[in-house]
């Protein structure tokens, strides 16, 4: 199957197919191919909310064919940061794109009316979506599935009301509880008047003479996933198993990163969620692990007559941090109650949690008062008030509440309180307070995410391995660079230790892609990594301007107090390593 790009132009209502085999020969696919495409486009436009601003959804050569190669990468200009927007989501989407024979889906333009796009194989239709306007991200999926009369094989991406309001912290929800969560893709959908995209197909590939090799490799891979203890932990408690150990080492952000130990950690631990609220574990299409943990939350809609609605909500570590410890909430039901509202609206839960935490500290410090909050008194641990805040944001009845859904950096710039705004490159911080290399990873990462280079995991190794900070920075750099290859194959990063260099080469060869070798893959990693920073620089990023939130220089992390001079020095080392790679490429 030759890779193709499907372009849907919402302004003209047209679509077009372009072969992208040369692009895939050079960049493998996924993030590599999409970064090249976005780089070419930003020469023409840098405004995330200009109609021609494109969104690229890309898969790679392994998607649809190997287990845990389940992700789709979205690239766009982020309305939250004004810089590179990159987000990855699972669910059925990668499989649906593969079956539709589409390797890159490009969406551009702005529809004159609220719309949703339906793609079946290579057929594209654009439909009016007036009746879906204002509908929650959860309900829109149900309605659209009924409307298309099908089947869980179709993948449905959609936004909730937050995306329609063009909130830069709005996400795009994919199928059951998967998200293009970070960096505001939902706001871009809203700006394009795009409520949803549905993808399905019934194609596949002919393996021909590679079939025997493919099946042998597949079985080997599958066995590793099913029997590996490294992956069984994701099925057992899931990532929420990290709550207790991180709190124990002082690495769990609590009350807007005031400390790394949460006294209520046991009450919102993965163990507690599993014992009391877990009802189901589900998986992305083509994954035998199944790490998606669904909890049940009972919602009363008629107390007098004991009428309840049962809601199923996915939870994981990041969500529990953002709406639990970081807001000092120690009841799993309260965490789920806030999460349900956030899921319905379609906000990124990490961004909204950090923004609520900043708002609370801003209130406690007098940066905002009851004048801005309309009488509400913000307090850490007060779930009822947080719910009221979210409802007022939805109503948009006061300036401050309309501003809340613009994110932490926006609020801090407008009202003051930048010293305790916990953002990196304007993106709200993920849930790790492990120390220097965790924070350095957020600062230097191409999307300012813990998933870029996993510096938090390096910090946790420091208690066992002693070496100079420079060497940890080199590890961080190499990890971020290598992940560009994993993200061009668009694998689930939980499988990163299985998809080693030899395994990837074997997997490519089993698909007849025998021209790749170790040297070429390393060279590709370097090339994509450098290209991403060049793209970021064009959009205004610079290592010099990147700032550590001031508050983080005075709090104890899992590896002690942070030295800002050391942070700056390691930043320069990272920048030098990148410059060296760039020179090697020329
Ligand atoms: S391990 Fe989890 S996130 Fe990864 S592919 Fe499987 S279900 Fe999806």
């Amino acid at each position: 199957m030759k890779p193709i790009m499907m372009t849907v132009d919402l302004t003209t209502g047209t679509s077009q197919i372009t072969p992208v085999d040369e692009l895939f020969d050079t960049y493998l696919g996924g993030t590599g191919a999409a970064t090249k495409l976005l780089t070419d486009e930003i020469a023409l436009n840098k405004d995330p909310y200009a109609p021609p601003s494109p969104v690229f959804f890309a898969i790679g050569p392994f998607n649809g064919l190997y287990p845990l190669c389940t992700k789709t990468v979205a690239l766009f200009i982020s309305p939250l940061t004004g810089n590179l927007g990159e987000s990855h989501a699972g669910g059925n989407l990668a499989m649906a794109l593969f079956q539709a024979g589409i390797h890159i889906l490009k969406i551009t333009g702005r529809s004159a009316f609220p719309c949703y796009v339906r793609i079946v194989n290579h057929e594209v239709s654009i439909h009016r979506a007036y009746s879906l306007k204002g509908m929650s991200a959860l309900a829109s999926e149900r309605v659209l599935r009924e409307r298309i009369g099908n089947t869980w094989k179709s993948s449905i991406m959609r936004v909730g009301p937050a995306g329609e309001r063009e909130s830069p912290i709005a996400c795009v929800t994919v199928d059951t509880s998967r998200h293009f969560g970070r960096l505001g893709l939902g706001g871009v959908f809203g700006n394009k008047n795009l409520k949803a995209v549905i993808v399905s197909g019934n194609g596949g590939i002919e393996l021909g003479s590679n079939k025997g090799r493919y099946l042998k490799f597949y079985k080997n891979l599958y066995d590793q996933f099913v029997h590996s203890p490294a992956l069984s932990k994701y099925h057992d408690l899931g990532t929420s198993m990290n709550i207790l150990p991180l709190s124990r080492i002082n690495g769990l952000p609590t009350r807007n990163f005031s400390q790394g130990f949460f006294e209520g950690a046991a009450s919102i631990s993965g163990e507690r969620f599993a014992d009391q609220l877990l009802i189901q574990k589900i998986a992305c299409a083509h994954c035998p692990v199944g790490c998606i943990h669904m909890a049940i939350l009972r919602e009363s809609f008629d107390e007098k007559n004991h009428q309840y609605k049962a809601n199923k909500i996915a939870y994981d570590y990041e969500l529990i941090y953002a709406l639990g410890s970081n807001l000092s909430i120690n009841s799993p039901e309260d965490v789920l109650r806030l999460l349900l509202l956030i899921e319905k609206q379609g906000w990124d839960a990490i961004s909204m949690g950090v923004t609520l935490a900043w708002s609370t500290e801003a209130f406690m410090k007098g940066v905002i008062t009851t004048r801005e909050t309309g009488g509400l008194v913000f307090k850490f641990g007060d779930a009822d008030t947080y719910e009221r805040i979210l409802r007022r944001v939805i109503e948009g009845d006061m300036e401050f509440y309309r501003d809340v859904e613009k994110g932490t950096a926006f609020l801090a710039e407008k009202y003051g309180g930048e010293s305790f705004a916990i953002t990196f490159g304007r993106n709200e911080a993920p849930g790790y307070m492990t120390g220097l290399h965790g924070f350095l990873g957020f600062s230097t990462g191409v999307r300012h995410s813990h998933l870029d280079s996993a510096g938090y995991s390096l910090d946790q190794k420091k208690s066992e391995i002693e070496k100079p900070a420079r060497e940890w920075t080199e590890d961080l750099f190499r990890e971020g660079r290598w992940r560009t290859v994993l993200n061009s194959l668009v694998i689930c990063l939980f499988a990163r230790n299985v998809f080693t260099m030899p395994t990837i080469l074997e997997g490519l060869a089993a698909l007849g892609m025998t021209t790749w070798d170790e040297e070429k893959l390393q060279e590709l990693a370097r090339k994509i990594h450098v290209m991403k920073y060049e793209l970021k620089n064009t959009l205004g990023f610079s290592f010099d301007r990147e700032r550590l939130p001031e508050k983080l220089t005075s709090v104890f992390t899992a590896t002690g107090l942070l030295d800002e001079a050391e942070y700056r020095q390691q930043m320069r080392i990272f920048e030098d390593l990148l410059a060296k790679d760039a020179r090697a490429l020329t």
Side-chain angles (χ1 to χ4, degrees):
M1 177 164 45
K2 285 216 181 279
I4 68 126
M5 175 162 77
M6 169 71 75
T7 302
V8 180
D9 186 334
L10 297 173
T11 303
T12 58
T14 55
S15 63
Q16 190 188 339
I17 289 172
T18 324
V20 284
D21 32 345
E22 277 180 30
L23 187 72
F24 273 57
D25 286 348
T26 310
Y27 295 101
L28 267 185
T31 202
T35 304
K36 172 71 177 111
L37 290 167
L38 188 62
T39 299
D40 293 345
E41 295 260 349
I42 57 159
L44 307 171
N45 164 57
K46 296 186 179 65
D47 176 1
Y49 284 161
S53 213
V55 178
F56 294 101
F57 297 97
I59 58 171
F62 284 1
N63 295 109
L65 291 168
Y66 293 134
L68 274 93
C69 299
T70 52
K71 301 282 176 169
T72 303
V73 56
L75 254 78
F76 52 99
I77 303 170
S78 163
L80 180 66
T81 66
N83 209 285
L84 170 63
E86 174 167 347
S87 195
H88 297 218
N92 301 343
L93 182 58
M95 182 61 87
L97 286 167
F98 167 76
Q99 290 178 324
I102 296 170
H103 298 79
I104 296 191
L105 170 62
K106 173 183 176 184
I107 296 186
T108 182
R110 181 185 294 148
S111 170
F113 52 87
C115 73
Y116 71 90
V117 172
R118 182 155 189 214
I119 300 170
V120 181
N121 296 310
H122 289 178
E123 294 295 318
V124 176
S125 49
I126 299 177
H127 304 258
R128 290 180 189 276
Y130 286 103
S131 62
L132 300 173
K133 241 182 126 39
M135 196 178 280
S136 81
L138 305 183
S140 344
E141 189 204 11
R142 283 197 299 275
V143 169
L144 283 167
R145 282 205 193 278
E146 268 172 35
R147 196 172 291 183
I148 60 176
N150 133 359
T151 98
W152 292 97
K153 264 184 81 178
S154 299
S155 180
I156 302 185
M157 307 183 244
R158 69 280 179 189
V159 293
E164 293 177 32
R165 292 191 298 268
E166 302 181 23
S167 160
I169 60 167
C171 66
V172 169
T173 309
V174 182
D175 303 322
T176 307
S177 301
R178 300 292 83 195
H179 307 87
F180 290 109
R182 314 256 33 221
L183 297 167
L185 182 59
V188 178
F189 265 46
N191 183 265
K192 293 188 174 307
N193 241 335
L194 178 62
K195 179 73 178 178
V197 178
I198 310 171
V199 183
S200 62
N202 51 16
I205 61 163
E206 279 298 328
L207 289 162
S209 60
N210 294 312
K211 191 168 176 184
R213 193 170 180 181
Y214 167 81
L215 290 175
K216 193 165 162 235
F217 175 73
Y218 186 103
K219 182 172 182 331
N220 187 9
L221 200 59
Y222 184 88
D223 287 346
Q224 283 190 67
F225 287 135
V226 170
H227 302 302
S228 154
L231 282 153
S232 61
K233 65 184 182 190
Y234 292 114
H235 179 70
D236 181 0
L237 288 178
T239 55
S240 59
M241 70 190 156
N242 290 328
I243 293 284
L244 284 177
L246 274 166
S247 181
R248 229 175 271 134
I249 64 166
N250 212 32
L252 175 66
T254 299
R255 293 184 279 282
N256 199 32
F257 285 72
S258 295
Q259 62 187 53
F261 165 78
F262 182 41
E263 59 287 348
S267 314
I268 53 166
S269 64
E271 290 80 350
R272 179 62 66 88
F273 268 84
D275 285 348
Q276 292 183 351
L277 296 156
L278 176 66
I279 51 156
Q280 191 184 17
K281 296 174 192 173
I282 59 174
C284 302
H286 208 166
C287 172
V289 175
C291 78
I292 306 166
H293 286 58
M294 307 294 295
I296 189 100
L297 178 71
R298 207 168 73 150
E299 211 181 5
S300 159
F301 59 87
D302 178 357
E303 268 180 36
K304 211 170 89 208
N305 294 304
H306 300 96
Q307 302 277 23
Y308 299 100
K309 184 177 173 211
N311 298 285
K312 274 208 278 187
I313 314 164
Y315 66 89
D316 65 18
Y317 170 76
E318 292 290 345
L319 308 178
I320 300 175
Y321 131 72
L323 303 169
S325 65
N326 208 35
L327 297 179
S328 203
I329 289 178
N330 60 11
S331 145
E333 287 85 359
D334 283 342
V335 170
L336 291 177
R337 179 153 61 98
L338 298 178
L339 187 54
L340 180 62
L341 209 46
I342 287 169
E343 280 278 308
K344 285 180 177 174
Q345 281 294 304
W347 286 303
D348 171 37
I350 298 178
S351 284
M352 183 49 92
V354 172
T355 304
L356 291 176
W358 176 89
S359 303
T360 312
E361 187 162 345
F363 187 90
M364 288 163 61
K365 291 195 154 98
V367 172
I368 54 168
T369 65
T370 47
R371 205 174 46 239
E372 281 81 19
T373 69
L376 280 189
V377 173
F378 295 3
K379 278 199 305 281
F380 281 119
D382 183 353
D384 288 344
T385 299
Y386 287 127
E387 185 176 340
R388 268 183 224 120
I389 297 171
L390 292 177
R391 293 199 183 282
R392 295 193 74 159
V393 177
I394 295 166
E395 285 157 17
D397 66 340
M398 287 182 68
E399 187 178 357
F400 175 75
Y401 293 110
R402 285 193 293 277
D403 288 342
V404 165
E405 66 174 345
K406 294 176 183 154
T408 308
F410 177 90
L411 286 174
E413 280 160 11
K414 179 165 174 176
Y415 296 91
E418 286 183 77
S419 63
F420 52 90
I422 313 298
T423 60
F424 291 84
R426 298 181 67 82
N427 190 19
E428 286 80 10
Y432 299 92
M433 213 169 135
T434 54
L436 176 62
H437 284 87
F439 296 150
L440 195 69
F442 305 157
S443 294
T444 57
V446 289
R447 44 190 167 133
H448 304 285
S449 152
H450 61 298
L451 296 168
D452 286 318
S453 48
Y456 64 94
S457 139
L458 299 181
D459 281 334
Q460 290 174 72
K461 289 180 185 158
K462 288 175 184 170
S463 59
E464 287 156 24
I465 305 168
E466 216 175 298
K467 57 185 184 181
R470 179 192 181 93
E471 289 182 25
W472 290 111
T473 303
E474 288 166 355
D475 289 347
L476 185 85
F477 180 81
R478 277 193 293 270
E479 180 65 23
R481 188 173 64 189
W482 174 241
R483 285 189 182 203
T484 61
V485 170
L486 302 179
N487 293 336
S488 296
L489 298 166
V490 217
I491 67 160
C492 169
L493 287 175
F494 293 160
R496 62 188 179 276
N497 294 329
V498 174
F499 281 103
T500 56
M501 174 69 84
T503 304
I504 289 173
L505 289 173
E506 210 184 322
L508 289 169
L511 299 176
M513 299 168 71
T514 50
T515 56
W516 289 96
D517 58 23
E518 185 164 344
E519 198 182 322
K520 265 186 84 178
L521 277 186
Q522 292 291 10
E523 183 72 2
L524 177 68
R526 196 169 285 125
K527 196 167 168 178
I528 299 171
H529 201 223
V530 168
M531 182 168 62
K532 279 184 182 289
Y533 285 96
E534 284 171 353
L535 191 159
K536 283 178 74 66
N537 291 345
T538 309
L539 289 167
F541 171 80
S542 100
F543 286 99
D544 277 349
R545 273 202 297 278
E546 193 55 33
R547 290 274 167 275
L548 186 65
E550 196 182 317
K551 179 174 181 180
L552 298 184
T553 59
S554 60
V555 290
F556 277 91
T557 68
T559 46
L561 203 56
L562 212 74
D563 176 347
E564 201 181 354
E566 175 77 346
Y567 164 85
R568 289 244 70 87
Q569 193 190 339
Q570 296 310 314
M571 189 80 129
R572 276 192 294 277
I573 290 171
F574 189 100
E575 194 179 358
D576 288 348
L577 291 166
L578 188 66
K580 198 169 149 207
D581 267 4
R583 281 196 301 277
L585 287 170
T586 51

